[in-house]
Amino acid sequence: MRTNLKTTFTVLLCSIYCLVFAQQTKKALTIEDIMKLKTISEVQISPDGKWVAYTVSEVDMKKDKSQTRIYSIPMNGGEPIAITGIDYSASQPRWSADNKYLSFLASKKEDEKTQVWISNRMGGDAQVLTKIPQGLSSHEWSPVGNKLLLVITDPKPEELTADKEDDKKAKPFVIDRRQFKQDYVGYLDRHRKHLYTLIPGDSIPTQLTWGDFDDSDPVWSPDGKKIAFVSNRTEDPDGNSNTDIWVVDTNNPDKDKKLTQVTNNPNSDNSPAWSPDGNHIAHIAITDGTILWYATQHLALAPALGGKTEVLSETIDRNISKPKFSKDGKSIYFLLEESGTSILASLNTDGQNLERIIKGDVAISNYDLHEGIFTVLMGKANRTDNLYTFQKNQISELTHINDDVLNEIKKPTIEKINYKSLDGTDVQGFVVKPIDFDPAKKYPTVLWIHGGPTSQYDFSFNTTVQLYAANGYVVLLINPRGSTGYGQDFCKAIFADWGNLDYQDVMAGVDYAIVQGYSNSDKLAVGGWSYGGILTNYVITKTSRFKAALSGASEALFRANYGHDHYQLTWEQELGLPWENAQAWERISPFNDVAKITTPTLWMGGSDDWNVPILNSEQMYLGMKRLGRETQLVVYPDEYHGLKRPSFLKDRMERYLDWLKKYVK
């Protein structure tokens, strides 16, 4: 066949022109674009391996709330099918063992309690399956037969007789527990979460566990006869973190029946997973309880009848989560957190042969598997989470959530960085360069600090960071000491010593960016939420280099939080009792250095936050105001530690940009 060179050249020029034009016509990300983004979560493969169920959440700005719908999609690709409607939110999609039903949790009316609903895959509207007066929080189908496992909180008297007018009136909180508060929940009482089973068609569930203990994370045994779960059943559950794995027999429920205690670790054990033969239970174990949340989460294996527990990952020194057995029972899969990534890995049941199965510059947050095929929920630096399938070393994209929005957006360049801190410690992080980055220019820069402190920046999509880059800022995402992903010693380095080594690490990151030529040293800002706000407070009390600060949900005068937030136990374990060891509490309280702050600072938080109470921001704000410094306080009503109302999320982003524009740009 003869080729027409003139035609070929014309086509090539057109292709190049179209590509360049497409890149030039993309726009900068806006707050309105962010509010359009959807969030995908939960991964559940059907028993026949042909479908994947998942949830998608999006905001409705007119109703000023978010909504979550359940979808299913063929494992080999195709169009997703909506399982639930647009007039209510649903969660926890679960397949029945016979593959006929997909159940979920929902309350279709504002005044209704959460119940199990069931959708017949052959068609028809979803039907309510349970009618628990107080509602329920979790459900799982037995792998054998037709039975449901439920997690239900003990009913309060008024929940059983809600038709009486007096039962609708507000009542005082009567408190006698040491751990008496919890963010998002409120004041805690003696009504505990316990396990039940229910055969569809029955009206009353069968109770399996009792006592002044909370039971969670239940998992059916492969034969459907037993349930493993997590509970702190010590004499004083509020006074320690000693959760263990327990097993209850579902065939002979009896209030006085003795449970099988699988683990005896004096620290935390959680996330149980049965071996295929039902003889062992893999789980996550904390082996060093003296350093709280700074301790590495290890993979462990215990006999299902109790006995010696083997810690399989002692030599790995990285956090492990979400264990699942392979079909042949010879290996255990899990998520591995390391060096700014979260990947899928496995170990043999003897602790040998660590294999990184899905690795690279990715952040995997969840997964499921069937017959050697994985479905993973995975994010990338410039792409929000989506579902992917992985088999025979090949990965295929299953969903395309947010492509309609992000395909029109200019993306920043995101690079991993490595540098030395003041004392020579190796520190990693990310530099996010603004869209249309010009290496000949120096840019205003935001040091944006992560929460935790025991977490890490990874390759997941970060809307706030993307927004800053779209508005012309370099953004520094540093993993200072206290971060996970770099080993236990690195993480525990800030134990009882906040604002010291982690401060040195983030400041060294700022200096690194300036030396590299990215950042304008005269136009620096710092901020973050939760521990990101706490470390921000240390930064602005130790240096005047920053022109603006954004401190969200932060702490200031630590002794004022004792009994006011929900961290009574961890405060005592890290700092001692505040009246006995006051010096340790006061030494790390940034409120004591409020007079040193010259950086214009925006303080923010939720009015009902019992994780990091708004009290702290109020104190710092008033201190700065009394000193005549530039400051402002924004309190979001009826919000907890993480904001949920869409209009408030939008408002917060607008205030971020306005504050930076006023004092930095």
Side-chain angles (χ1 to χ4, degrees), residues 108-133:
K108 291 192 174 184
K109 296 180 181 178
E110 291 288 339
D111 58 346
E112 284 184 345
K113 298 292 186 179
T114 298
Q115 304 291 348
V116 177
W117 292 73
I118 189 167
S119 175
N120 191 324
R121 297 181 60 217
M122 302 305 292
D125 294 332
Q127 302 294 320
V128 66
L129 189 62
T130 61
K131 295 182 180 179
I132 310 299

Short mmCIF file of all heavy atoms in Angstrom, two decimals, residues 108-133:
data_model
loop_
_atom_site.label_atom_id
_atom_site.label_comp_id
_atom_site.label_asym_id
_atom_site.label_seq_id
_atom_site.Cartn_x
_atom_site.Cartn_y
_atom_site.Cartn_z
N LYS A 108 -33.63 5.50 56.20
CA LYS A 108 -34.18 6.24 55.06
C LYS A 108 -34.91 7.52 55.45
O LYS A 108 -35.21 8.34 54.59
CB LYS A 108 -35.11 5.31 54.26
CG LYS A 108 -34.36 4.19 53.55
CD LYS A 108 -35.24 3.49 52.54
CE LYS A 108 -34.46 2.47 51.74
NZ LYS A 108 -35.27 1.83 50.68
N LYS A 109 -35.18 7.69 56.75
CA LYS A 109 -35.82 8.91 57.22
C LYS A 109 -34.98 9.51 58.35
O LYS A 109 -34.26 8.81 59.05
CB LYS A 109 -37.25 8.63 57.70
CG LYS A 109 -38.19 8.14 56.61
CD LYS A 109 -39.59 7.88 57.17
CE LYS A 109 -40.54 7.37 56.09
NZ LYS A 109 -41.89 7.08 56.63
N GLU A 110 -35.10 10.82 58.53
CA GLU A 110 -34.29 11.53 59.51
C GLU A 110 -34.45 10.97 60.91
O GLU A 110 -33.51 10.90 61.69
CB GLU A 110 -34.65 13.02 59.51
CG GLU A 110 -34.24 13.76 58.24
CD GLU A 110 -32.74 13.96 58.14
OE1 GLU A 110 -32.07 13.89 59.18
OE2 GLU A 110 -32.24 14.16 57.02
N ASP A 111 -35.67 10.57 61.29
CA ASP A 111 -35.93 10.13 62.66
C ASP A 111 -35.85 8.62 62.83
O ASP A 111 -36.22 8.08 63.87
CB ASP A 111 -37.31 10.62 63.11
CG ASP A 111 -38.44 10.13 62.21
OD1 ASP A 111 -38.13 9.64 61.10
OD2 ASP A 111 -39.61 10.24 62.61
N GLU A 112 -35.38 7.91 61.81
CA GLU A 112 -35.29 6.46 61.89
C GLU A 112 -33.91 6.01 62.35
O GLU A 112 -32.90 6.68 62.11
CB GLU A 112 -35.58 5.82 60.53
CG GLU A 112 -37.04 5.81 60.14
CD GLU A 112 -37.27 5.08 58.81
OE1 GLU A 112 -36.29 4.86 58.08
OE2 GLU A 112 -38.42 4.76 58.54
N LYS A 113 -33.86 4.87 63.02
CA LYS A 113 -32.59 4.27 63.41
C LYS A 113 -32.02 3.47 62.25
O LYS A 113 -32.75 3.02 61.36
CB LYS A 113 -32.81 3.34 64.61
CG LYS A 113 -33.32 4.04 65.86
CD LYS A 113 -32.29 4.96 66.45
CE LYS A 113 -32.76 5.54 67.77
NZ LYS A 113 -31.76 6.44 68.39
N THR A 114 -30.71 3.28 62.26
CA THR A 114 -30.04 2.53 61.21
C THR A 114 -30.42 1.05 61.29
O THR A 114 -30.35 0.44 62.37
CB THR A 114 -28.52 2.68 61.34
OG1 THR A 114 -28.17 4.05 61.17
CG2 THR A 114 -27.80 1.85 60.29
N GLN A 115 -30.82 0.48 60.15
CA GLN A 115 -31.22 -0.92 60.07
C GLN A 115 -30.51 -1.59 58.89
O GLN A 115 -29.90 -0.92 58.06
CB GLN A 115 -32.74 -1.04 59.89
CG GLN A 115 -33.57 -0.36 60.95
CD GLN A 115 -33.50 -1.02 62.31
OE1 GLN A 115 -32.99 -2.13 62.47
NE2 GLN A 115 -34.00 -0.32 63.33
N VAL A 116 -30.61 -2.91 58.84
CA VAL A 116 -30.12 -3.67 57.69
C VAL A 116 -31.22 -3.70 56.64
O VAL A 116 -32.37 -4.06 56.93
CB VAL A 116 -29.73 -5.11 58.07
CG1 VAL A 116 -29.30 -5.90 56.83
CG2 VAL A 116 -28.62 -5.11 59.12
N TRP A 117 -30.84 -3.32 55.42
CA TRP A 117 -31.74 -3.41 54.27
C TRP A 117 -31.16 -4.45 53.32
O TRP A 117 -29.95 -4.66 53.27
CB TRP A 117 -31.87 -2.06 53.58
CG TRP A 117 -32.60 -1.04 54.40
CD1 TRP A 117 -32.12 -0.39 55.51
CD2 TRP A 117 -33.93 -0.57 54.19
NE1 TRP A 117 -33.06 0.46 56.01
CE2 TRP A 117 -34.20 0.39 55.22
CE3 TRP A 117 -34.92 -0.83 53.25
CZ2 TRP A 117 -35.41 1.06 55.33
CZ3 TRP A 117 -36.13 -0.16 53.35
CH2 TRP A 117 -36.37 0.76 54.37
N ILE A 118 -32.04 -5.08 52.55
CA ILE A 118 -31.59 -6.15 51.66
C ILE A 118 -32.12 -5.91 50.26
O ILE A 118 -33.29 -5.58 50.06
CB ILE A 118 -32.04 -7.53 52.20
CG1 ILE A 118 -31.41 -8.66 51.41
CG2 ILE A 118 -33.55 -7.65 52.25
CD1 ILE A 118 -31.56 -10.00 52.08
N SER A 119 -31.21 -6.02 49.29
CA SER A 119 -31.56 -5.81 47.89
C SER A 119 -31.41 -7.12 47.14
O SER A 119 -30.34 -7.75 47.17
CB SER A 119 -30.64 -4.75 47.28
OG SER A 119 -30.87 -4.60 45.90
N ASN A 120 -32.47 -7.56 46.49
CA ASN A 120 -32.43 -8.78 45.69
C ASN A 120 -31.77 -8.47 44.35
O ASN A 120 -32.23 -7.59 43.62
CB ASN A 120 -33.85 -9.31 45.47
CG ASN A 120 -33.85 -10.71 44.88
OD1 ASN A 120 -33.01 -11.04 44.05
ND2 ASN A 120 -34.81 -11.52 45.29
N ARG A 121 -30.70 -9.18 44.05
CA ARG A 121 -29.97 -8.89 42.82
C ARG A 121 -30.77 -9.23 41.56
O ARG A 121 -30.40 -8.84 40.46
CB ARG A 121 -28.64 -9.65 42.81
CG ARG A 121 -27.72 -9.23 43.95
CD ARG A 121 -26.41 -9.97 43.90
NE ARG A 121 -25.71 -9.71 42.66
CZ ARG A 121 -25.00 -10.61 41.99
NH1 ARG A 121 -24.94 -11.85 42.46
NH2 ARG A 121 -24.37 -10.30 40.88
N MET A 122 -31.87 -9.98 41.72
CA MET A 122 -32.72 -10.32 40.58
C MET A 122 -33.70 -9.19 40.26
O MET A 122 -34.43 -9.24 39.28
CB MET A 122 -33.50 -11.60 40.88
CG MET A 122 -32.63 -12.80 41.21
SD MET A 122 -31.39 -13.14 39.93
CE MET A 122 -32.48 -13.66 38.60
N GLY A 123 -33.71 -8.15 41.14
CA GLY A 123 -34.58 -7.01 40.87
C GLY A 123 -35.49 -6.70 42.04
O GLY A 123 -35.63 -7.49 42.98
N GLY A 124 -36.14 -5.52 41.98
CA GLY A 124 -37.06 -5.13 43.04
C GLY A 124 -36.43 -4.14 43.99
O GLY A 124 -35.20 -3.99 44.06
N ASP A 125 -37.27 -3.42 44.74
CA ASP A 125 -36.79 -2.44 45.69
C ASP A 125 -36.19 -3.11 46.91
O ASP A 125 -36.57 -4.22 47.28
CB ASP A 125 -37.94 -1.52 46.13
CG ASP A 125 -38.47 -0.67 44.97
OD1 ASP A 125 -37.67 -0.39 44.05
OD2 ASP A 125 -39.65 -0.30 45.02
N ALA A 126 -35.27 -2.40 47.57
CA ALA A 126 -34.68 -2.91 48.80
C ALA A 126 -35.74 -2.96 49.90
O ALA A 126 -36.61 -2.10 50.00
CB ALA A 126 -33.52 -2.02 49.22
N GLN A 127 -35.63 -3.98 50.74
CA GLN A 127 -36.57 -4.17 51.84
C GLN A 127 -35.82 -4.14 53.17
O GLN A 127 -34.69 -4.62 53.27
CB GLN A 127 -37.29 -5.52 51.70
CG GLN A 127 -38.05 -5.69 50.39
CD GLN A 127 -39.23 -4.74 50.28
OE1 GLN A 127 -39.94 -4.52 51.27
NE2 GLN A 127 -39.45 -4.19 49.10
N VAL A 128 -36.46 -3.58 54.19
CA VAL A 128 -35.83 -3.54 55.50
C VAL A 128 -35.84 -4.94 56.09
O VAL A 128 -36.83 -5.66 56.01
CB VAL A 128 -36.53 -2.53 56.43
CG1 VAL A 128 -37.96 -2.95 56.75
CG2 VAL A 128 -35.72 -2.33 57.70
N LEU A 129 -34.71 -5.35 56.66
CA LEU A 129 -34.57 -6.72 57.18
C LEU A 129 -34.63 -6.76 58.70
O LEU A 129 -35.09 -7.73 59.28
CB LEU A 129 -33.25 -7.32 56.69
CG LEU A 129 -33.01 -8.80 56.95
CD1 LEU A 129 -34.06 -9.64 56.23
CD2 LEU A 129 -31.62 -9.20 56.48
N THR A 130 -34.13 -5.72 59.35
CA THR A 130 -34.14 -5.69 60.81
C THR A 130 -35.02 -4.55 61.32
O THR A 130 -35.23 -3.55 60.62
CB THR A 130 -32.72 -5.50 61.37
OG1 THR A 130 -32.20 -4.25 60.90
CG2 THR A 130 -31.81 -6.63 60.93
N LYS A 131 -35.50 -4.72 62.52
CA LYS A 131 -36.29 -3.66 63.17
C LYS A 131 -35.84 -3.57 64.63
O LYS A 131 -36.61 -3.77 65.55
CB LYS A 131 -37.78 -3.97 63.07
CG LYS A 131 -38.31 -3.95 61.63
CD LYS A 131 -39.80 -4.21 61.56
CE LYS A 131 -40.30 -4.18 60.12
NZ LYS A 131 -41.76 -4.44 60.03
N ILE A 132 -34.56 -3.22 64.80
CA ILE A 132 -33.97 -3.08 66.12
C ILE A 132 -34.32 -1.69 66.66
O ILE A 132 -33.97 -0.69 66.02
CB ILE A 132 -32.44 -3.26 66.07
CG1 ILE A 132 -32.06 -4.54 65.29
CG2 ILE A 132 -31.86 -3.26 67.46
CD1 ILE A 132 -32.58 -5.81 65.88
N PRO A 133 -35.00 -1.57 67.79
CA PRO A 133 -35.44 -0.25 68.27
C PRO A 133 -34.32 0.79 68.38
O PRO A 133 -34.52 1.95 68.03
CB PRO A 133 -36.04 -0.57 69.65
CG PRO A 133 -36.46 -1.99 69.56
CD PRO A 133 -35.45 -2.65 68.67
#
